[in-house]
Amino acid sequence: MRRVEKVEEVLATIQRIKTAAGSAYATNFFPTEPRLKAWIEQQELDSETTETCAFFARRDRDFFHLYYCATGDSLLREKLLTLDLVRNSPVITDLIGHEGALSTQIGAFQAAGFRPYARLLRLARTGGETSAPDAAAMFATADQVPQILALLESSFNRFSDQLPTKSELEEAARANQIVWIVADGKVGALVHFETQGFTSTVRYWAVHPDCRDQRLGSRIIRHYFALHPKVKRFVLWVRADNENAVRRYLHFGYAPDGLVDQVLANPLIK
Amino acid sequence: MKSVLEILKEIRPEFDFSASNDFMADGMLDSFDMVTLVAALDKNYGISIPGTEIVPENFQNVASIEALLRKSGVAA
């Protein structure tokens, strides 16, 4: 693996492999340019590429997220077996697609020693909110990021939940993408979201353990909906085995839309 | 045979695709939806859109999707 220096080299690699693959193109790598740029600036992204296959590894805390682009599933399977990163480092990969359509790719990773670690469901609901914002809720500011990050890291699983970095949260705070309600001088409940046109995605919804059963979670999610009267589609990803969270999202009108994220872990992820 | 607008409406019934010139910027389609849309277009028009053409520029609006269909052999 070598460090990626420029966004352009990633895009050129993807395009080259796509062209070589035609309809057999296989990938789990769908980066946006701003996100790629941030990973490269923070020296988090490495790659190993050939004419027909590319692996990208993004460092995240104490492990790597592995992405691939290949001219076909059989080549992916073959190349995975020779990838040093998989043998020597803790690695997670996410395979996203419609239920039942991922078996070939899952098989390729299992042949390289990966095991199913978690399964996430995409849930969606329609918009058309008419409720009023909660007067006690406010946008988080960048100086409040350390306690927000601490709450997220204690509430979610770093391997399966794509936890943000401190700098990503600071950027989100500056962009007014985190709303919260303060309770006893600390973050009582928060929603971190990203809105693009008529679609808004909840990245995290969390309630401080000391503030459970005070309805703060309901208030902050309703506040989030109320901030988006023009949004027509709300989406999010949730772990399928987090029955409490799934039940709450269903209560607020979300439903599975058929897309799943199969998270796989190599043996060095305990 | 369904029109492009009818296929889009089936995938995301909550959106008015005829009112948008940039489906991505307006949050009406994402990269996963593109894969679903390609499968629906392939089936509806009896074509096979190559992987190299599955890029956001070809799915920006109805006109760009229709241009992609013409390039893929669908008669105007």
Side-chain angles (χ1 to χ4, degrees), chain A residues 15 18-20 22-23 25 30 96-98 122 125-126 196-199 232-233 237 257 259, chain B residues 12 14-16 20 24-28 30-33 35-36 48-52 54-55:
Chain A
Q15 191 55 42
K18 257 185 183 175
T19 304
S23 59
Y25 182 62
F30 305 97
I96 299 172
H98 288 279
R122 193 166 75 170
R125 75 191 284 276
T126 52
Q196 173 82 33
F198 296 112
T199 297
K232 295 184 176 174
R233 186 166 190 259
W237 289 92
D257 76 351
L259 212 55
Chain B
R12 291 277 163 257
E14 61 272 41
F15 295 131
D16 178 5
S20 172
M24 304 293 166
D26 288 341
M28 298 163 83
D30 59 28
S31 48
F32 308 119
D33 295 327
V35 176
T36 306
S48 178
I49 295 170
T52 47
I54 307 174
V55 291

Side-chain angles (χ1 to χ4, degrees), chain A:
Chain A
M1 286 269 171
R2 65 172 191 81
R3 184 63 37 87
V4 175
E5 307 278 352
K6 290 179 181 170
V7 170
E8 292 75 19
E9 69 180 89
V10 176
L11 299 179
T13 299
I14 293 172
Q15 191 55 42
R16 187 183 72 237
I17 295 172
K18 257 185 183 175
T19 304
S23 59
Y25 182 62
T27 189
N28 70 341
F29 197 35
F30 305 97
T32 61
E33 281 197 45
R35 196 148 282 172
L36 262 183
K37 189 164 178 280
W39 293 344
I40 292 168
E41 281 174 1
Q42 288 154 27
Q43 303 192 328
E44 294 172 354
L45 192 66
D46 295 337
S47 72
E48 185 166 315
T49 67
T50 67
E51 285 303 305
T52 53
C53 185
F55 290 106
F56 296 93
R58 177 172 65 86
R59 181 179 288 281
D60 180 359
R61 298 168 173 83
D62 56 348
F63 69 102
F64 291 91
H65 294 276
L66 181 63
Y67 308 98
Y68 67 88
C69 306
T71 53
D73 291 329
S74 56
L75 184 76
L76 166 68
R77 189 184 187 101
E78 176 193 323
K79 295 290 185 187
L80 270 172
L81 295 172
T82 64
L83 194 61
D84 284 342
L85 179 84
V86 170
R87 285 197 291 270
N88 303 328
S89 306
V91 177
I92 285 284
T93 198
D94 290 73
L95 302 177
I96 299 172
H98 288 279
E99 196 89 62
L102 296 171
S103 56
T104 307
Q105 294 96 318
I106 291 172
F109 278 90
Q110 285 182 318
F114 283 76
R115 70 184 189 281
Y117 182 82
R119 192 165 145 273
L120 280 70
L121 308 174
R122 193 166 75 170
L123 308 185
R125 75 191 284 276
T126 52
E129 290 304 313
T130 54
S131 55
D134 190 307
M138 59 190 99
F139 288 111
T141 56
D143 60 315
Q144 292 156 339
V145 160
Q147 59 170 317
I148 292 170
L149 185 57
L151 176 59
L152 294 182
E153 288 186 329
S154 64
S155 304
F156 293 93
N157 180 308
R158 69 188 187 284
F159 297 129
S160 62
D161 293 330
Q162 309 263 347
L163 285 177
T165 61
K166 184 167 175 280
S167 61
E168 282 174 334
L169 278 180
E170 286 167 346
E171 193 180 320
R174 281 193 289 272
N176 284 344
Q177 293 173 338
I178 305 172
V179 286
W180 70 345
I181 293 177
V182 175
D184 301 328
K186 59 177 178 283
V187 185
L190 71 83
V191 172
H192 173 201
F193 60 91
E194 288 173 359
T195 301
Q196 173 82 33
F198 296 112
T199 297
S200 186
T201 304
V202 170
R203 290 203 60 196
Y204 306 97
W205 175 25
V207 178
H208 194 284
D210 297 344
C211 301
R212 301 263 159 85
D213 302 321
Q214 297 176 29
R215 306 193 64 76
L216 294 184
S218 296
R219 283 175 56 192
I220 198 66
I221 195 90
R222 288 184 199 283
H223 176 73
Y224 157 70
F225 293 142
L227 288 179
H228 293 90
K230 293 183 178 170
V231 162
K232 295 184 176 174
R233 186 166 190 259
F234 291 94
V235 296
L236 57 87
W237 289 92
V238 63
R239 275 182 70 132
D241 61 359
N242 188 345
E243 292 175 10
N244 186 41
V246 171
R247 191 171 52 246
R248 285 170 190 270
Y249 283 122
L250 295 179
H251 171 75
F252 283 103
Y254 287 90
D257 76 351
L259 212 55
V260 300
D261 173 0
Q262 178 63 60
V263 184
L264 301 167
N266 78 343
L268 295 172
I269 298 278
K270 301 301 178 192

